[in-house]
Amino acid sequence: MLLKLIPGAAVAALLCLPLTGQAQPATDTPPAETAPGAAASGGAGAEARPDTVIARVGGRALHMSDLQEIAREMPPELRSMPRNVLYPMLLDQLIDREALVLAARKEGLDKDPAVARQMESAANTALGNALVGRSLGPSISEAAIRARYEKDYAGKPGETEVHARHILVASEAEAEKVIAELKAGGDFAALAKKYSTDPGGAQGGDLGFFKKGDMLPEFSAAAFALQPNQVSDKPVHTQYGWHVIQVLEVKQDPAPTFAQMHDELRQKMIQEGVQKTIHEALAGVKVEKFNLDGSPLRATDTAEPPAPPAK
């Protein structure tokens, strides 16, 4: 990425460019009142068309559309800078970039195999992003996000949460011993302080409220199967050891609001759209995979290189 000795705001704009691997819905065009090309420095209030020539570098014309492309990639707070500040700053950036490109071509760097591969990779990335952007643009609207919210969340109960505590021990036999003591009238908090190897044992093993996805699957499955004040009658095994679980309370969360879910739904819809576009693209082509040694890749093969022969 090109960084040059220009005002700090322009450098910040370059550092904030979107990642090439992310889908960018075609909705973030600069507003007319803040587009840097809306008024050229030499003509206050003059409207510039995309094909307007704004500079020439080595005989090559640079157009307003080139500058507007840079502006679209800037964060909104920088796009809202005064036109008489933003326009010359971006124009200088555009000219400097073009001068470097001309110098690089003059030295034959575009013929260098490594550079040519990078240029081809950049072109391929741009093409792929263009296809994804065209496919996603119409579908990631505010109306579409609202419709997805109404379908998946509106009027439906929120997630269930349980308030539980546990005692963690190293073996199944120890866990069974704890369960036996609880059945005999033992106090859960006191036994947690006595036996639990979990740091929370000092607080009686209390885990507070949690959702299913907050804990390991084995732990959640056991905890969410219990009723309030019920203790697991069998030890629950996870990668950390053996647990004895008691659920203290169960509550139903309210449905999340549209504002709470907006960004998550938008990101989810983008990811789904990208995968759909990729799936459709793959459906029309033949794909062959190969191992690192060039042999055809089979389902039983791995991508790990073969171990060197023993000496």
Side-chain angles (χ1 to χ4, degrees):
M1 185 175 292
L2 174 64
L3 294 179
K4 50 194 278 294
L5 296 177
I6 56 177
V11 174
L14 291 173
L15 293 174
C16 292
L17 294 181
L19 297 176
T20 55
Q22 294 178 334
Q24 299 293 328
T27 56
D28 291 330
T29 55
E33 67 273 17
T34 60
S41 59
E47 294 297 327
R49 293 169 24 175
D51 60 353
T52 299
V53 175
I54 56 174
R56 292 187 188 276
V57 182
R60 184 180 182 278
L62 302 179
H63 299 88
M64 181 55 64
S65 58
D66 299 318
L67 188 142
Q68 289 171 334
E69 182 178 347
I70 293 178
R72 276 193 293 269
E73 295 170 337
M74 296 175 63
E77 61 271 20
L78 294 182
R79 275 186 267 158
S80 63
M81 292 171 62
R83 297 170 183 171
N84 62 335
V85 175
L86 187 58
Y87 176 80
M89 185 175 69
L90 292 185
L91 181 60
D92 287 345
Q93 174 67 33
L94 203 58
I95 291 170
D96 290 356
R97 185 179 70 179
E98 184 63 23
L100 286 175
V101 170
L102 290 174
R105 290 185 182 278
K106 185 176 180 180
E107 294 186 19
L109 287 177
D110 55 322
K111 304 298 192 297
D112 181 282
V115 176
R117 284 194 296 270
Q118 292 176 14
M119 292 171 66
E120 181 182 9
S121 176
N124 289 340
T125 297
L127 282 171
N129 284 350
L131 177 63
V132 170
R134 188 180 69 178
S135 300
L136 292 187
S139 63
I140 313 297
S141 64
E142 286 301 304
I145 298 173
R146 170 70 72 174
R148 182 67 172 266
Y149 170 79
E150 295 291 336
K151 174 178 175 291
D152 293 348
Y153 294 97
K156 297 181 180 179
E159 286 192 74
T160 301
E161 293 189 49
V162 299
H163 178 194
R165 53 186 178 180
H166 78 134
I167 299 171
L168 176 64
V169 293
S171 69
E172 185 176 14
E174 289 180 272
E176 289 175 342
K177 176 184 175 183
V178 170
I179 291 173
E181 290 191 34
L182 287 169
K183 288 182 177 179
D187 180 74
F188 195 100
L191 292 177
K193 293 176 183 178
K194 180 178 179 181
Y195 294 117
S196 186
T197 60
D198 185 81
Q203 286 75 48
D206 199 330
L207 297 169
F209 278 98
F210 57 87
K211 301 173 183 178
K212 275 190 177 180
D214 295 339
M215 299 293 181
L216 292 172
E218 307 93 330
F219 191 97
S220 284
F224 279 80
L226 298 173
Q227 298 298 317
N229 298 315
Q230 186 180 2
V231 176
S232 54
D233 57 359
K234 294 181 180 179
V236 178
H237 186 246
T238 71
Q239 64 192 60
Y240 296 106
W242 295 85
H243 306 260
V244 178
I245 305 171
Q246 181 185 36
V247 166
L248 301 175
E249 187 179 352
V250 179
K251 72 175 183 178
Q252 192 84 44
D253 292 339
T257 65
F258 177 68
Q260 290 172 329
M261 296 303 303
H262 179 277
D263 292 349
E264 182 179 327
L265 282 174
R266 182 177 184 275
Q267 188 61 34
K268 184 177 181 180
M269 290 168 68
I270 288 174
Q271 292 172 349
E272 291 173 351
V274 170
Q275 291 304 312
K276 180 176 181 290
T277 303
I278 292 173
H279 179 76
E280 291 172 350
L282 285 172
V285 295
K286 179 181 179 181
V287 177
E288 297 177 89
K289 295 183 180 181
F290 302 90
N291 289 305
L292 295 177
D293 61 1
S295 61
L297 180 66
R298 300 168 300 182
T300 55
D301 292 332
T302 69
E304 294 295 326
K311 295 183 178 180

